[in-house]
């Protein structure tokens, strides 16, 4: 902003006079000194510019806040949509919910691999009951998931496989057909417990 408007009229023509404060007794200077100069900017133009500048600044702050809230919400949704559920220290269950495109699939894989050593999971049960839109990418992702988990010492088990999905896996020629598969989660957990030499028994 070039300065403050002084509103000086010269003859019959309006002249826009602005001034700058160079010295001010209010600010502790020994005397006050002002510089006056003519400007083509009218007070209304100056006010409009101020309003525009403040509006743009407020808009940027709002966009920044919305972006941060969206990021936090996105992280929460990711955690909820594909949670890692420990049954016991050696067995984890991961429900695969909805569709898995590249970004979501990689995020789930990375988060799982980071947590496997912490849980010391020997068996990783992938619940495919709510998996949607299975295509070749999804099948390749499951293959990649199984291989990555095996490198960390975890064996994968598939549960909740529909007849359609089982047919897709067989037709794709994936070796995932050799992975233990069960129709319901309880069967998968029972199988994993049996492999570990454990069982669930009633409390006496």
């Amino acid at each position: 902003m070039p300065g403050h408007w002084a509103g000086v009229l010269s003859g019959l023509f309006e002249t826009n006079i602005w001034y700058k404060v160079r010295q001010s007794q209010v600010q502790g200077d020994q005397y006050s000194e002002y510089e006056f100069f003519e400007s083509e900017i009218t007070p209304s133009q100056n006010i409009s510019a101020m309003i525009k500048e403040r509006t743009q600044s407020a808009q940027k702050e709002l966009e920044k806040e919305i972006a941060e809230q969206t990021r936090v919400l996105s992280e929460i949704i990711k955690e909820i949509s594909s949670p890692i559920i420990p049954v016991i220290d050696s067995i984890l269950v991961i429900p695969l919910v909805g569709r898995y495109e590249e970004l979501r699939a990689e995020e789930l894989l990375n988060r799982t691999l980071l947590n496997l050593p912490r849980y010391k999971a020997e068996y990783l049960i992938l619940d495919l009951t709510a998996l949607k839109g299975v295509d070749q990418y999804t099948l390749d992702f499951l293959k990649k998931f199984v291989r990555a988990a095996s490198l960390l010492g975890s064996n994968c088990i598939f549960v909740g496989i529909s007849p359609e999905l089982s047919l897709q896996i067989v037709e794709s020629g994936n070796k995932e057909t050799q992975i233990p598969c069960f129709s319901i989660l309880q069967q998968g957990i029972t199988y994993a417990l049996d492999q570990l030499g454990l069982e669930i028994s009633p409390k006496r």
Side-chain angles (χ1 to χ4, degrees):
M1 181 167 36
H4 302 283
W5 180 63
V8 177
L9 296 179
S10 176
L12 297 177
F13 301 95
E14 180 177 357
T15 303
N16 300 306
I17 303 297
W18 296 80
Y19 70 90
K20 290 182 179 179
V21 179
R22 293 192 173 278
Q23 301 284 339
S24 174
Q25 290 178 309
V26 176
Q27 299 296 328
D29 298 325
Q30 293 182 351
Y31 60 91
S32 295
E33 179 183 341
Y34 302 89
E35 176 187 358
F36 293 88
F37 55 93
E38 184 177 346
S39 174
E40 295 181 355
I41 300 176
T42 65
S44 60
Q45 290 174 330
N46 185 59
I47 292 173
S48 297
M50 290 176 58
I51 293 174
K52 183 178 180 180
E53 182 180 351
R54 292 180 180 179
T55 300
Q56 291 177 340
S57 178
Q59 181 69 22
K60 289 180 180 179
E61 287 297 322
L62 180 60
E63 290 175 354
K64 183 178 179 181
E65 182 178 349
I66 291 175
E68 176 62 19
Q69 292 178 351
T70 302
R71 184 191 67 79
V72 173
L73 181 59
S74 178
E75 291 297 325
I76 294 175
I77 291 175
K78 291 172 188 174
E79 292 291 334
I80 295 175
S81 63
S82 298
I84 298 176
I85 305 171
V87 178
I88 59 175
D89 287 343
S90 299
I91 302 175
L92 294 180
V93 174
I94 299 182
L96 271 61
V97 181
R99 299 176 183 271
Y100 281 84
E101 38 72 38
E102 183 175 357
L103 179 60
R104 188 170 181 232
E106 290 299 321
E107 287 175 343
L108 173 61
L109 180 59
N110 291 337
R111 184 156 52 86
T112 302
L113 297 181
L114 287 174
N115 281 280
L116 283 180
R118 179 164 66 92
Y119 286 107
K120 299 179 181 179
E122 293 186 42
Y123 285 90
L124 184 60
I125 302 176
L126 301 180
D127 189 347
L128 312 181
T129 306
L131 186 63
K132 304 295 183 182
V134 178
D135 54 13
Q136 187 58 48
Y137 176 81
T138 308
L139 296 175
D140 290 340
F141 165 62
L142 292 175
K143 181 195 301 183
K144 182 178 180 180
F145 202 118
V146 170
R147 289 179 178 175
S150 65
L151 290 176
L152 294 177
S154 296
N155 301 294
C156 286
I157 299 173
F158 288 162
V159 301
I161 294 184
S162 65
E164 294 79 12
L165 179 56
S166 64
L167 184 60
Q168 283 180 285
I169 294 176
V170 171
E171 290 179 345
S172 68
N174 286 342
K175 295 181 180 180
E176 275 62 32
T177 52
Q178 301 175 3
I179 295 174
C181 299
F182 301 93
S183 58
I184 60 175
L185 178 60
Q186 182 180 359
Q187 293 173 336
I189 294 176
T190 300
Y191 173 84
L193 288 172
D194 183 63
Q195 296 300 305
L196 294 170
L198 303 173
E199 65 178 357
I200 298 176
S201 59
K203 183 178 179 180
R204 296 180 180 179

